[in-house]
Amino acid sequence: MSPSSAAQPAPEPASLYRSLLSAPTPCSTAAPFTAHVFACILSIGVFDAYQHETSVSAAIGLNRAQIEALTRNWLPAASAHIDLRAEPETAPFDDEEEQLQGLLTSHQADAAPESVWLTAIVTRRSMLDNHLWQDLGLFDRGDLNRLMSERYPVLAARNASNMKWKKFLYRSLCEMEGFTLCTAPSCQECSDFDNCFGDESGESSLARIRRDLSRAV
């Protein structure tokens, strides 16, 4: 298990988020939205690692060197919560993840380390069960829309109908392989329209976890 002080309770994500942004760096000062995204992701990732007794690497899809670079350049306060020595040198992806990673990589706006990290993170967190913005620890769907537009502008532009992001990404994978995701003649005629385009409002994972922890006390 890689987070430091593993015998201690998991850090409360909302408090951790604030802590991570308390020590600004040149990177976080120059790009506050990216810093916000990374703080959300690390807050939920560290919490998940504690809860499931696994590594931060397994939670967010980055290897030791990538986690070290991210925390050093963007969120140095995270070093108090992550034991880098225990993080693996590699972060393997299964076949399904590799396909999604390939889709995202081919649509990155640039090859900056931050874009590479976010591709790995979005890939890993897409395997979870909630809305993608929740599984990334973001505050709302708007955060995710902005992230996708900034980091994958061509791909984001194709989601003009505002389909749920997980549905859209998997439909894009199917189209790449020459398959169709469903048999409906069009989205407007589909009897299960809300499954792909329904409301994505709800409570952020950081807020939900904080609420659940307070109830458990």
Side-chain angles (χ1 to χ4, degrees):
M1 181 174 177
S2 64
S4 61
S5 305
Q8 302 300 317
E12 192 273 305
S15 297
L16 181 55
Y17 170 84
R18 292 190 293 270
S19 173
L20 295 183
L21 292 176
S22 66
T25 67
C27 288
S28 63
T29 300
F33 178 70
T34 299
H36 158 70
V37 169
F38 282 141
C40 289
I41 289 163
L42 279 185
S43 296
I44 200 71
V46 168
F47 180 84
D48 283 357
Y50 272 84
Q51 287 290 92
H52 301 294
E53 299 187 356
T54 187
S55 65
V56 175
S57 173
I60 66 174
L62 300 184
N63 62 35
R64 180 195 303 167
Q66 291 171 321
I67 294 171
E68 192 278 329
L70 190 162
T71 56
R72 181 184 68 246
N73 293 323
W74 289 89
L75 302 167
S79 61
H81 304 279
I82 303 172
D83 181 3
L84 286 171
R85 298 167 300 178
E87 293 294 331
E89 293 184 2
T90 60
F93 289 84
D94 64 25
D95 291 345
E96 182 179 356
E97 289 175 319
E98 287 181 353
Q99 292 179 36
L100 180 54
Q101 186 178 36
L103 171 70
L104 292 170
T105 298
S106 68
H107 287 88
Q108 284 177 190
D110 54 51
E114 290 78 10
S115 295
V116 174
W117 302 338
L118 285 165
T119 287
I121 292 165
V122 171
T123 296
R124 177 55 50 84
R125 303 301 289 184
S126 291
M127 301 298 111
L128 301 179
D129 296 331
N130 300 306
H131 296 312
L132 181 54
W133 66 267
Q134 292 174 317
D135 287 329
L136 290 168
L138 300 174
F139 286 7
D140 52 35
R141 162 79 184 225
D143 273 356
L144 180 56
N145 288 346
R146 179 175 175 182
L147 169 62
M148 298 301 291
S149 293
E150 290 185 359
R151 296 291 170 174
Y152 315 96
V154 174
L155 190 64
R158 285 169 43 194
N159 191 13
S161 299
N162 212 28
M163 179 179 279
K164 293 178 181 179
W165 278 107
K166 286 184 181 179
K167 291 285 186 181
F168 174 76
L169 292 174
Y170 276 91
R171 188 172 79 166
S172 297
L173 282 177
C174 287
E175 290 173 348
M176 286 177 57
E177 298 297 324
F179 300 107
T180 57
L181 190 62
C182 67
T183 58
S186 70
C187 291
Q188 288 70 28
E189 297 178 59
C190 180
S191 61
D192 199 21
F193 183 90
D194 286 348
N195 190 37
C196 291
F197 295 92
D199 179 63
E200 275 198 82
S201 62
E203 193 172 33
S204 73
S205 292
L206 270 64
R208 175 179 50 78
I209 292 168
R210 183 177 189 178
R211 182 204 66 214
D212 291 346
L213 289 174
S214 66
R215 287 178 176 175
V217 174

